Amino acid sequence: MKIKNFNSVEKEHFKKSAADYLDFYKEVTSKLSSYSHAMYSRALSYIAVENGLYNHTPKELAVALSKDILTTTDFKKIVGTDSDANQNIRLAAFRNLIEPYKEELKTEISSISYETMVKLLSRKGGHIRKTLTENKPTKTPEQLLQKRSWKDLQNVVKNMNKEYNKIVNTFLKTNEIPDYVTLRNILIGNLYMFNSHEHNGLKTHVLLRNEYRNAYVWINDTSPPQDKNNYFWINFETQKHYFVVQKSKTQTSQCNTQRRLFILSPNIVNMIIFIKQTFNENVDKPFFKNNRRDAPPHNTEWIRLVGKIFEEVGANINCSVIRMIYQNEIDWTKLNQEQISYVANNLDTGVKNCGIPPDNQALLVF
């Protein structure tokens, strides 16, 4: 569906109709998500304008399109020549349009009009979905890894944390300097798996991409400078700690202005402080170092070490795969709109409206 192909008059009708149909869907399909309401209203407006059915109320549009379909048994006016995926959306928009008017269709067309329409819709929808399945591309390794369990990933880091406790205890008893790479990897594993907190009874994780790689440590009761760096902001005065993002993949998103603050859990802060003090880390340089400890890990090194941490769960695991696994773990249907937005914000999705997913799946950007 390409609105840019409409002329100026059609675009104006499209804009007005989309707003009217949005109100209609919100009223009659309240159980659907805001994303679905917006998607279906745009699809329905496109159908109306494409067929010259201007200024039609939802009921008038339902009757007009139904008469055409029942006369021709052809859904051309609904699906047009769009892609299979968009045809499926347009068909769903039409199905949700006529359902509230089934009695009116029986009165204005025939007693069996609605039942006949449902059968035709099911048949047409089946054909479209079959085509979609047949044309579905082979899944990439990352997509296949979506079936990996979030619990499997967490178990890897739980075992690492047992090692961490041993290292700390040994250091306190003997002052023996531990292995830097081991400690660094444990901290990275915890950043991805256990930087969680509760918000209004909802447990959620801060789960970013590779923004940690070049982050600095900032221990102060005043906020870090507004520059292009990211910071682990540790505030002992308030005991509220944050990961401050000022440079990220979604920096230019409309939901992200200049800087974003993500909660740092106490266990993460404790690990940062232990590593900083043990290795006398300079706060004027990025906190994480490569295996030689002579520079921050470059992007390829970071991807490689994240994969190494989780290699027992599967090959080629990176931050995008981890985020997909986490998102698939969430039952989005049980969350209200505020919870959905909050979870999406903590994933720094960069999606318009800060990450509102469609029904039963998360529409998030990696």
Side-chain angles (χ1 to χ4, degrees):
M1 295 180 284
K2 296 183 179 180
I3 312 304
K4 65 180 182 180
N5 293 338
F6 287 156
N7 60 39
S8 58
V9 174
E10 290 171 330
K11 286 179 180 177
E12 194 61 35
H13 279 294
F14 173 84
K15 183 177 179 181
K16 180 181 182 302
S17 297
D20 292 340
Y21 295 145
L22 179 60
D23 291 337
F24 162 75
Y25 280 123
K26 285 181 177 178
E27 181 180 349
V28 303
T29 58
S30 58
K31 291 183 178 180
L32 293 181
S33 69
S34 299
Y35 182 94
S36 294
H37 290 153
M39 181 171 61
Y40 290 160
S41 62
R42 285 175 62 83
L44 197 59
S45 181
Y46 194 94
I47 292 169
V49 174
E50 191 176 54
N51 291 287
L53 300 173
Y54 304 131
N55 301 321
H56 277 51
T57 65
K59 177 185 172 182
E60 291 169 343
L61 188 63
V63 172
L65 292 172
S66 296
K67 284 182 177 179
D68 180 80
I69 292 167
L70 291 171
T71 301
T72 63
T73 65
D74 183 4
F75 281 86
K76 198 70 175 178
K77 287 189 176 181
I78 305 297
V79 300
T81 58
D82 227 326
S83 66
D84 291 325
N86 281 341
Q87 286 186 19
N88 201 38
I89 293 171
R90 290 169 66 153
L91 208 63
F94 178 68
R95 183 189 290 272
N96 282 281
L97 166 69
I98 65 170
E99 200 278 334
Y101 298 117
K102 51 188 173 185
E103 295 304 321
E104 284 84 349
L105 293 181
K106 291 178 181 179
T107 301
E108 300 198 23
I109 302 177
S110 73
S111 60
I112 61 169
S113 59
Y114 180 74
E115 289 77 9
T116 304
M117 186 70 66
V118 169
K119 291 179 182 178
L120 291 172
L121 277 167
S122 297
R123 187 186 306 162
K124 182 65 176 178
H127 289 321
I128 293 174
R129 287 187 290 275
K130 182 180 179 182
T131 304
L132 279 170
T133 301
E134 290 174 347
N135 294 336
K136 194 173 184 179
T138 303
K139 287 188 175 182
T140 65
E142 289 188 358
Q143 291 170 322
L144 291 172
L145 278 169
Q146 291 183 43
K147 295 185 179 180
R148 298 288 185 176
S149 167
W150 177 249
K151 186 177 180 180
D152 290 341
L153 295 173
Q154 286 193 315
N155 284 339
V156 169
V157 182
K158 284 180 180 179
N159 290 331
M160 296 173 74
N161 287 343
K162 292 177 184 178
E163 179 65 19
Y164 175 78
N165 291 332
K166 292 179 182 178
I167 291 172
V168 173
N169 288 333
T170 300
F171 177 79
L172 293 175
K173 290 177 181 179
T174 67
N175 227 23
E176 178 184 332
I177 301 299
D179 175 57
Y180 171 78
V181 171
T182 299
L183 282 176
R184 179 202 64 192
N185 290 356
I186 292 172
L187 173 56
I188 292 170
N190 277 273
L191 280 167
Y192 285 113
M193 289 296 107
F194 290 113
N195 191 21
S196 63
H197 63 275
E198 285 201 2
H199 171 75
N200 293 337
L202 172 70
K203 183 178 180 180
T204 188
H205 286 73
V206 172
L207 191 52
L208 306 180
R209 301 170 186 82
N210 298 338
E211 290 88 347
Y212 314 109
R213 182 174 64 87
N214 280 320
Y216 293 73
V217 171
W218 181 265
I219 304 175
N220 209 310
D221 57 356
T222 60
S223 63
Q226 295 192 21
D227 49 25
K228 293 183 179 180
N229 296 325
N230 297 333
Y231 292 91
F232 294 106
W233 178 17
I234 299 173
N235 188 338
F236 290 122
E237 182 72 24
T238 64
Q239 289 299 316
K240 293 181 179 179
H241 317 291
Y242 299 97
F243 184 65
V244 182
V245 174
Q246 300 182 122
K247 183 178 181 181
S248 71
K249 182 177 179 179
T250 59
Q251 187 66 25
T252 58
S253 168
Q254 65 177 14
C255 295
N256 301 291
T257 57
Q258 194 165 8
R259 65 162 59 184
R260 302 194 67 199
L261 271 62
F262 299 90
I263 293 174
L264 272 179
S265 65
N267 67 300
I268 301 291
V269 172
N270 290 338
M271 288 182 178
I272 292 173
I273 293 298
F274 180 69
I275 294 174
K276 180 188 179 302
Q277 292 178 340
T278 302
F279 295 94
N280 195 27
E281 296 288 7
N282 190 336
V283 296
D284 294 329
K285 296 180 180 180
F287 182 66
F288 286 116
K289 307 296 188 299
N290 58 25
N291 291 357
R292 300 178 302 278
R293 297 203 68 239
D294 58 6
H298 55 67
N299 193 57
T300 302
E301 285 177 321
W302 183 270
I303 293 171
R304 190 182 301 123
L305 71 88
V306 171
K308 182 69 175 177
I309 291 170
F310 297 104
E311 64 181 349
E312 68 182 74
V313 178
N316 301 319
I317 290 184
N318 55 39
C319 66
S320 293
V321 176
I322 292 171
R323 286 158 60 82
M324 285 191 284
I325 293 171
Y326 175 63
Q327 290 162 208
N328 287 344
E329 196 80 9
I330 300 170
D331 187 348
W332 296 96
T333 63
K334 292 183 179 180
L335 304 184
N336 60 39
Q337 191 58 53
E338 189 274 336
Q339 291 172 322
I340 289 171
S341 294
Y342 189 81
V343 171
N345 286 338
N346 278 277
L347 289 168
D348 192 25
T349 63
V351 177
K352 187 177 181 181
N353 297 325
C354 297
I356 301 173
D359 298 330
N360 303 321
Q361 66 177 32
L363 187 65
L364 304 176
V365 169
F366 302 100

